[in-house]
Amino acid sequence: NNMHRRVIVPVIWRKKIMGYTARAVDSNVKPKYHNNYESKLVFNLDMQEHDNEIAIVCEGPFDALAIDGVATLGNTINDIQADLIDNLDKHIIVVADADEAGAGLIKVALKHGWSVSFPVWQSDYKDISEAVQQLGKLFVLKTIIDGVETNPLKIKLRRKINV
């Protein structure tokens, strides 16, 4: 699996390594991600501060690390993952990638009654981690908060416009 040409990120649950996700650093290495973890896990869940009022949910681990959020490790969420996220007891804000796959995560957010953010930079950067690299963490976080939508109809309309 060309592990020597990947960045390996551990997936931790309750302070134990439960698996890993490994991203290729070379565009010639396929597939882009090699994963070895339980599908019921949520990346970076243990790192959520108890006194934070919000939790930002995104697709990939590098996005989650860039903003101290959590990642579903894909564009879908199973019921166990949804329960884990809901049990954070925070305002959940989903930031999906602005592509067809990201639309799947928005659909899940609607199903669970979570807010969705459409930050102003979304059409210029493929995901959160790229936006943080170019714009900085604080600006990206502010625009995520400013871009929050809670109305399901408006979320559906914005999803169609952004994809």
Side-chain angles (χ1 to χ4, degrees):
N1 294 309
N2 287 309
M3 296 303 274
H4 65 288
R5 296 167 63 192
R6 297 176 182 276
V7 174
I8 302 170
V9 181
V11 178
I12 299 170
W13 168 250
R14 295 187 175 167
K15 300 182 182 180
K16 292 182 184 174
I17 296 176
M18 304 300 287
Y20 63 86
T21 182
R23 186 187 191 285
V25 294
D26 179 348
S27 61
N28 295 325
V29 175
K30 303 291 182 211
K32 184 177 182 179
Y33 283 94
H34 175 73
N35 302 312
N36 182 0
Y37 55 82
E38 293 278 337
S39 62
K40 62 186 176 188
L41 295 173
V42 176
F43 180 81
N44 216 30
L45 198 65
D46 285 1
M47 300 308 294
Q48 297 307 293
E49 299 291 334
H50 296 293
D51 57 346
N52 287 355
E53 294 178 20
I54 66 168
I56 299 173
V57 177
C58 49
E59 295 177 42
F62 294 102
D63 297 331
L65 290 171
I67 55 161
D68 302 319
V70 299
T72 60
L73 301 168
N75 64 346
T76 61
I77 300 175
N78 61 45
D79 290 338
I80 294 170
Q81 288 175 305
D83 287 344
L84 290 170
I85 292 168
D86 277 333
N87 285 335
L88 288 170
D89 198 28
K90 300 178 185 311
H91 177 192
I92 306 301
I93 301 171
V94 172
V95 183
D97 292 353
D99 57 15
E100 194 62 41
L105 190 58
I106 293 173
K107 187 176 180 180
V108 172
L110 287 165
K111 174 183 172 187
H112 293 285
W114 298 335
S115 299
V116 176
S117 179
F118 299 92
V120 295
W121 47 261
Q122 203 164 39
S123 61
D124 297 324
Y125 302 101
K126 65 182 172 109
D127 57 25
I128 291 171
S129 64
E130 185 177 296
V132 168
Q133 288 174 25
Q134 298 299 316
L135 305 171
K137 180 179 178 178
L138 291 178
F139 179 79
V140 169
L141 285 170
K142 181 180 182 331
T143 57
I144 287 171
I145 305 277
D146 291 346
V148 168
E149 185 55 66
T150 58
N151 181 299
L153 179 59
K154 289 182 180 179
I155 291 170
K156 290 176 188 174
L157 291 171
R158 292 288 303 269
R159 177 183 69 188
K160 289 183 180 189
I161 292 169
N162 285 4
V163 174

